Amino acid sequence: FEELIKKGADAILVGHLKIKNVTFGVPCTMSRKFLIKYLRKKYHYKGLIISDDLKMRAIKNWYGYKRAIVKAIYAGNDIVIFRYNQRQEEKAILNLIKLAKKGTLNKFRINESVKRILKIKAKYNIDDLIKPKTIDLEKLNKKILSIREEAL
């Protein structure tokens, strides 16, 4: 992570790893200590933090889908990936809205994530109306390869 942050990574996908003496048995995606103390403060990371898929068995079975999403957001993820069915996704989103309205979900924290997301969308000229067929995947993959080679 440190090297990618130095190179200006726009986003980091955090896996469900457990790091001895850092996350103390909690996956990195659910660890506020890892996401905030290490990525944000120690390494001064300003970009997006994205969770790995919360439907993975280790997360789904331990936390359940609604609790996993809330815990991942509390921990400091800007974007959480969860591939549940539509009904479960709607329930999870409604639960987040309810928590935000109650004040349980820190609005400042949510606004910081929204600002980071909007900054990346503006940087790459992404809007919510982009149709997948308009993306030049070959060009995008070449760009990803060049960034990867530069980082190594």
Side-chain angles (χ1 to χ4, degrees):
F1 287 130
E2 184 177 8
E3 193 61 33
L4 291 172
I5 291 168
K6 285 179 186 175
K7 299 264 186 192
D10 289 325
I12 293 175
L13 185 134
V14 177
H16 304 308
L17 309 167
K18 294 178 181 177
I19 303 173
K20 189 177 181 177
N21 299 325
V22 174
T23 64
F24 301 98
V26 176
C28 288
T29 46
M30 306 291 174
S31 171
R32 185 159 181 81
K33 182 177 181 182
F34 177 75
L35 298 178
I36 303 304
K37 182 178 179 182
Y38 285 92
L39 289 183
R40 294 276 185 226
K41 293 185 179 165
K42 182 177 180 181
Y43 297 114
H44 308 289
Y45 182 60
K46 305 284 187 234
L48 288 174
I49 297 176
I50 304 169
S51 77
D52 206 345
D53 190 353
L54 299 178
K55 191 176 181 183
M56 290 179 168
R57 194 173 316 139
I59 300 300
K60 179 179 68 172
N61 292 349
W62 187 260
Y63 295 98
Y65 75 94
K66 279 181 18 181
R67 187 167 158 240
I69 294 164
V70 171
K71 187 143 178 63
I73 289 173
Y74 279 141
N77 290 280
D78 296 305
I79 297 174
V80 294
I81 298 173
F82 57 102
R83 302 174 301 110
Y84 292 99
N85 66 47
Q86 185 176 351
R87 191 184 99 258
Q88 290 172 316
E89 288 176 4
E90 287 170 358
K91 280 184 176 181
I93 291 167
L94 290 173
N95 186 47
L96 291 173
I97 292 168
K98 181 177 96 180
L99 293 173
K101 285 181 178 177
K102 278 178 37 180
T104 308
L105 209 69
N106 184 305
K107 289 179 185 175
F108 174 79
R109 234 279 308 126
I110 297 300
N111 287 335
E112 289 301 304
S113 289
V114 169
K115 287 176 193 173
R116 284 190 278 272
I117 293 165
L118 292 175
K119 181 179 176 183
I120 294 301
K121 288 175 88 171
K123 179 178 180 178
Y124 292 100
N125 197 24
I126 298 170
D127 65 35
D128 295 333
L129 302 175
I130 287 181
K131 294 175 180 45
K133 66 182 176 188
T134 65
I135 297 172
D136 183 344
L137 290 178
E138 189 173 323
K139 183 178 175 184
L140 182 61
N141 283 329
K142 284 180 184 177
K143 178 75 174 166
I144 291 168
L145 286 173
S146 75
I147 292 168
R148 184 182 297 155
E149 287 171 10
E150 185 180 326
L152 297 174

